[in-house]
Amino acid sequence: MKFTCWQPPVLLSILAVTQLVGLALFARGFFPYKVYLPGFTDASQTPPWPDGSSQEPPIIEPQFDRLIFIVIDALRNDFILGQESAFDFVKSRIESGEAEAFTAKATAPTVTMPRIKALTTGTIPSFLDAILNIAESDTSSSLQYQDNWVHQLKFSDNRTIHFFGDDTWIRLFPDMFTEKEGTTSFYVSDTVEVDFNVTRHIKPVLSKQDWDAVIFHYLGLDHVGHTGGPRSPLMKPKQREMDQVIESIFEIVSVQDAHRIRHDADAKGTLMVICGDHGMNEEGNHGGSSVGETSAALVFMSPRFGSRPTLNRAASRRFKVEEEFTEVYGYPVVEQVDLVPTLACLFGFPIPRNNLGKVIVPMFTRQSSQSSLLRALQLNAYQISQLLKEVDDAFKRYLDNNATGIQAGTEVDPYSIKLLNEAHVAHKLFIQESTVENAEVAARAYLEFITFAQSKLTNTAGDYNLNDMSIGAVLILASALTFSTWAIRRAKFEKPAKLSFSQVFAIFILCGFAVSMFASSFIEEEHLIWYYCTTTALLLGLLESMGISGMPLYEKVMLVLSCLLQMVLLRLSTAWNSSTYAYIEKSLFGAEWHFLAASLVMCFLYGAHLIWNIGTKTGHHSAATTVVVSSSAGYLQLMIKIASIFIMGLCSALVMLYKVRVDGVDGTVPALYGRDLPEALEFATQLDQVALGKLIYNYCGASLFVFTALVYVTETAAVLHLPESDEGHSGYSSRHYLDGLLFISTPLWILFTRTHFAALFILFTIQFHLMRRWQSRLRSSGVYQQQQPGWFLAITATCMAHAAFFMTGHTNSIAAVDLSNAYIGISDYNAVIIGVLTFCSNWSTSIWWMIVGLILLLDGAAKDRTAEQRWWDYIVTQSAIFALFIAALSISVTLLREHLFIWTVFSPKYLYQVAWTCLFHWIFQALIGTVSMKLYHTDEAKASLN
């Protein structure tokens, strides 16, 4: 393909569309909805008793007739079972034998919607549910037509179910609840009202006794984790609040059960289930596969447990089932999906047909009847064998033919059939002879078969559409190769002789990074790669500075010192989240608040200096030149300058106040910020957090509007009265505008960043200033023909943007997605707005460096008419970089789709890379960059007309 000068806009658009279509196809093939068996199981589809008798009930004798199901979002196992737990009542019930405790292991992605699906259907949800988990309006993943215990419980005996809490349940189970009230799950700054709106229903609803099951889903503990982590000072009070909620419910049902059992011989009692849908990591987030995120608490509690001696934890059992449990905190570990068949057998309704769980044996070995456990295991084995035969044709033929033994040449694993036969025979003998030995043999064989079937079904759970993946990968790869060829040719166009060492090294680094996409360890440690690439880019600048000939020694020394200082600042930035900040925090009281204030003050001073000098150009080693304007325009310009500076300063102060309110609850805020600042901003102290957030947005918008007006007035006046000697006016307002955009928006990016990372903006600002001075000195020396090439700036900006992303504690795990700042100023849920704020809050530092890249690109354009060429060098190189990365990753996940870490490492990385490519690159870089270049050409046109 021949890349001519008039082709770039058209070619860029074609390649972008090709890439996005390829991404859509690939994602559809890689993240499909799993295929589930349609319909619902009923009592007629359950297996007969092994001896062929028509015993009653046809399914299993229920142990309970009422259910209280309490989900406490992000209830990690140690929050109940650990030594520092504040669930005093729950722990006392466990110790007294009125509760049975477990650790329930969840699978990635550990976010609410997939975990609710697992808790109710017994299936392993699709990874795509992690995305749908954010879209509150999404109904495409409803469980209305998938078998689940909520449906079975309701329709098995026409039961009444109420629900209060996270409205995800209402979307998943439409028209299933008699009474219901949902709460928004993503308004993470609310840790009080979101739980109060659930708790207030407890006494009114439970006292009516017109219910058979009530489901509560509390969100406050999860919100505490998101805002402050598991060690937050709000965590213990929230745990005590939840403990008191459980205690109040237990007292109500205890009284009701005692009364019901006295007056109704058929009454069974109430079972309370307290569980977490997932856990959380040490940052308070979740979504990944770390131990903290996948370890949720699970407690079965009932007043009847304490009234039956055989149910006591220390009581002797009549027979022993040899099933080994891993123990954590002294309690067994089970799979989260095991809850589904356990509930089904405890309440006597059919096990949902897509269930992959295994009945929790300790809940049945507590019972006095061995028959109950064996029947539960028989039902579980039968249900999972029906699921297994749907993916194994040979096994299906065997079951459908009602074979009683292993046929010669069979394709079925003889071990599985042997286990089924052994369990069936031993169970039948137990019914006839009631011997403990037969019961133990049957239970062991059932459990081994269920474990075998679980393993086989789990291994076949990845349902990829290879056709879509292949077509998508081809389109993505074609786009990447075209972009790469285009970028290399443009780089050689500037220096036709051959590629320089810097260019060769840059290509080597980028290709090396693309290759690293094939290794899970490199993906998990990607931050180290970007730190290395960024440091190397600065080192290359240092080497080039030392090799410049004909430059005065002083200038060369300043260039070298500038590069060295940038490398020092980069090292401080990369270590900030680990050693640097920890050391400073120990040495200085209220360090994070001083750094926050310093970062806001620095951006204000830079912005104020910029605004005040608009209309005056100051070049290096040149005198200031004032743009001539009329007196009326001059007064207007002065008033706008004062207003703009005032609004920007007020906005910075409000950001400081907001941060103090949110994060200053632990007594570490110095009096200057915790007491004096609110007194100075008395008008803002009357506002709640939502109103204060909206006020900050309004002032940021007003500041940007006033600054735009200032640039417009100055530009108009300058065009009308431009002196003939001022040849460097063209494009001046565009560069001023980008500078202004950077420093006016910086308080907003600081607002979106966790408080202790605000100091990074100080280091970033100094580094930006050094880069600008370094580039200016290179231009003055004649290197790069008055301007650094666009490809070099593109690589530098890419490295800094990615490094800054990881400097703020982010990783390639879904758990690293920070929601704590995504709801600032938001009172009602809106998927689009929340999505934009979530992206901005997680990519805030990267967006900051993206703007810096555009500023460096336009610097020096006043005397250089090749800005358009540099812009295309820049954007084409950026596009080639991101296209190469997403192409390599697409090929990687296709080839490694059966890898052990495909869902815990590669899939999250793919989602992140899609966000980098589609949102960061195409929307932010390409869109904002194009607008900036349009402004530049508009300025140039005005100058030529003048």
Side-chain angles (χ1 to χ4, degrees), residues 338-377:
D338 294 347
L339 175 67
V340 175
T342 304
L343 281 181
C345 294
L346 289 175
F347 282 86
F349 57 76
I351 299 175
R353 61 174 48 195
N354 293 296
N355 163 68
L356 293 178
K358 174 171 57 178
V359 292
I360 301 175
V361 172
M363 292 304 299
F364 294 89
T365 54
R366 295 170 59 107
Q367 307 294 329
S368 59
S369 172
Q370 301 162 5
S371 178
S372 295
L373 172 60
L374 293 182
R375 178 58 173 170
L377 290 173

Side-chain angles (χ1 to χ4, degrees), residues 55 64 98 205 340 342 422 463 520 542 553 748 899 935:
Q55 298 187 33
F64 302 94
E98 291 180 289
V205 170
V340 175
T342 304
E422 183 181 349
D463 185 17
S520 60
L542 173 63
L553 179 62
L748 203 59
H899 194 280
L935 285 174

Side-chain angles (χ1 to χ4, degrees), residues 491-492 495 498-508 791:
K492 290 180 67 176
K495 292 186 177 182
K498 62 179 182 178
L499 292 174
S500 67
F501 174 76
S502 298
Q503 291 171 323
V504 172
F505 191 81
I507 294 174
F508 172 76
W791 67 265

Side-chain angles (χ1 to χ4, degrees), residues 26 473 477 510-524 526 529 884-897 899-902 905-906 909:
F26 190 91
L477 183 60
L510 295 176
C511 291
F513 179 75
V515 172
S516 74
M517 299 289 188
F518 291 81
S520 60
S521 298
F522 280 101
I523 292 176
E524 291 178 302
E526 184 183 341
I529 298 176
L884 180 65
F885 292 168
I886 195 67
L889 190 57
S890 298
I891 297 173
S892 170
V893 298
T894 301
L895 298 178
L896 302 176
R897 60 187 181 277
H899 194 280
L900 178 64
F901 299 139
I902 187 64
V905 176
F906 291 97
K909 170 57 183 174

Side-chain angles (χ1 to χ4, degrees), residues 81 89 97 142 158 221 246 274 334 367 424 427 463 520 614 649 671 760 836 871 920 945:
L81 307 179
F89 172 78
S142 168
N158 196 28
L221 187 140
I246 295 170
I274 301 101
V334 298
Q367 307 294 329
H424 181 85
H427 193 177
D463 185 17
S520 60
I614 283 186
L760 290 176
V836 171
W871 161 245
F920 180 80
L945 288 175

Side-chain angles (χ1 to χ4, degrees), residues 669-803:
V669 183
L672 175 63
Y673 315 120
R675 182 191 63 203
D676 299 341
L677 181 64
E679 290 178 357
L681 300 174
E682 186 177 356
F683 74 96
T685 58
Q686 308 300 319
L687 304 175
D688 59 21
Q689 286 299 93
V690 174
L692 181 57
K694 290 180 178 179
L695 186 63
I696 293 173
Y697 293 151
N698 290 337
Y699 275 118
C700 282
S703 181
L704 185 60
F705 175 78
V706 173
F707 180 75
T708 303
L710 174 61
V711 172
Y712 176 79
V713 168
T714 304
E715 178 68 15
T716 302
V719 168
L720 292 176
H721 302 279
L722 188 68
E724 293 182 1
S725 61
D726 189 6
E727 299 175 357
H729 164 71
S730 175
Y732 174 61
S733 66
S734 297
R735 296 192 307 283
H736 259 320
Y737 193 79
L738 281 176
D739 280 333
L741 176 65
L742 178 67
F743 290 108
I744 288 173
S745 64
T746 297
L748 203 59
W749 306 130
I750 293 174
L751 177 68
F752 287 148
T753 307
R754 287 188 179 266
T755 302
H756 67 278
F757 289 124
L760 290 176
F761 286 93
I762 301 176
L763 302 177
F764 291 165
T765 302
I766 298 173
Q767 199 164 357
F768 166 49
H769 178 73
L770 291 173
M771 283 184 173
R772 208 169 197 179
R773 297 294 298 169
W774 180 64
Q775 182 173 265
S776 175
R777 290 179 186 277
L778 287 178
R779 284 199 308 272
S780 66
S781 70
V783 179
Y784 293 138
Q785 298 178 349
Q786 296 183 320
Q787 178 67 25
Q788 280 184 304
W791 67 265
F792 185 83
L793 287 175
I795 293 176
T796 304
T798 300
C799 290
M800 290 305 306
H802 281 80

Side-chain angles (χ1 to χ4, degrees), residues 816-946:
V817 176
D818 188 1
L819 296 174
S820 61
N821 295 313
Y823 294 82
I824 296 174
I826 304 298
S827 55
D828 299 314
Y829 185 86
N830 182 292
V832 175
I833 295 176
I834 295 301
V836 171
L837 291 179
T838 300
F839 177 79
C840 290
S841 62
N842 285 273
W843 271 263
S844 57
T845 51
S846 301
I847 296 172
W848 194 91
W849 275 106
M850 181 270 296
I851 300 174
V852 167
L854 295 177
I855 294 173
L856 294 175
L857 184 69
L858 286 177
D859 265 358
K863 297 180 180 180
D864 189 0
R865 301 294 181 176
T866 61
E868 183 178 6
Q869 178 182 325
R870 289 199 310 277
W871 161 245
W872 286 113
D873 292 340
Y874 183 88
I875 195 63
V876 170
T877 304
Q878 290 272 13
S879 300
I881 292 171
F882 285 99
L884 180 65
F885 292 168
I886 195 67
L889 190 57
S890 298
I891 297 173
S892 170
V893 298
T894 301
L895 298 178
L896 302 176
R897 60 187 181 277
E898 303 299 333
H899 194 280
L900 178 64
F901 299 139
I902 187 64
W903 296 117
T904 56
V905 176
F906 291 97
S907 296
K909 170 57 183 174
Y910 199 85
L911 293 178
Y912 271 102
Q913 200 59 48
V914 168
W916 275 107
T917 303
C918 299
L919 301 179
F920 180 80
H921 175 60
W922 289 119
I923 293 182
F924 277 85
Q925 284 196 143
L927 183 61
I928 294 179
T930 301
V931 171
S932 300
M933 293 309 300
K934 289 293 183 182
L935 285 174
Y936 173 83
H937 287 300
T938 300
D939 295 341
E940 194 175 56
K942 287 181 179 179
S944 62
L945 288 175
N946 187 68

